[in-house]
Amino acid sequence: MTENIGKIRVDKWLWHARFFKTRSLAAKVVSGGHLRLNGQKVLKPAQPVTGDDVLTFAQGREIRVIKVLALGTRRGPASEAQALYADLEPLAEKPKEVIPPAPRFEGGGRPTKRDRRQIDLNRP
């Protein structure tokens, strides 16, 4: 099997760059039509990617826009993977989500152990 120098499968590149945990997950995203290569929808995981290509895909709840800088030869450590791409839209710093306190027993929610003891003490 001969490989074109300067090209790699898009699913393999996404896996090398550590955007997906497994290559099959990357292939599933591509074949599901959730990836754009230079603005064009890609449906085949074997679509070749070269340097300076722009990939757009959803990762979690974020839309990632990535420019391919290098192809990579292996799935190495994260520092090596980050050298393969440039993030064109860096993830925005999200304000820390404020989690409301658990509902107390004043008619809503389940009573805590302490609330139950108070209820038991107040019973006739």
Side-chain angles (χ1 to χ4, degrees), residues 13-47:
W13 187 87
L14 288 168
W15 178 66
H16 280 188
R18 293 186 167 267
F19 286 109
F20 296 98
K21 194 170 186 177
T22 64
R23 189 169 161 191
S24 61
L25 284 175
K28 193 179 290 187
V29 167
V30 175
S31 60
H34 303 293
L35 179 112
R36 292 184 180 270
L37 175 66
N38 297 326
Q40 300 294 319
K41 193 178 275 193
V42 176
L43 296 173
K44 295 183 179 182
Q47 179 74 33

Side-chain angles (χ1 to χ4, degrees), residues 43-94:
L43 296 173
K44 295 183 179 182
Q47 179 74 33
V49 175
T50 60
D52 296 331
D53 281 344
V54 177
L55 301 174
T56 307
F57 59 94
Q59 186 178 30
R61 293 184 176 189
E62 304 291 328
I63 301 295
R64 304 294 304 261
V65 181
I66 304 298
K67 183 175 184 179
V68 178
L69 298 179
L71 300 179
T73 56
R74 67 185 185 116
R75 180 179 165 93
S79 58
E80 189 177 306
Q82 290 170 352
L84 299 179
Y85 63 90
D87 200 350
L88 299 181
E89 290 185 21
L91 295 175
E93 288 293 324
K94 293 183 267 185

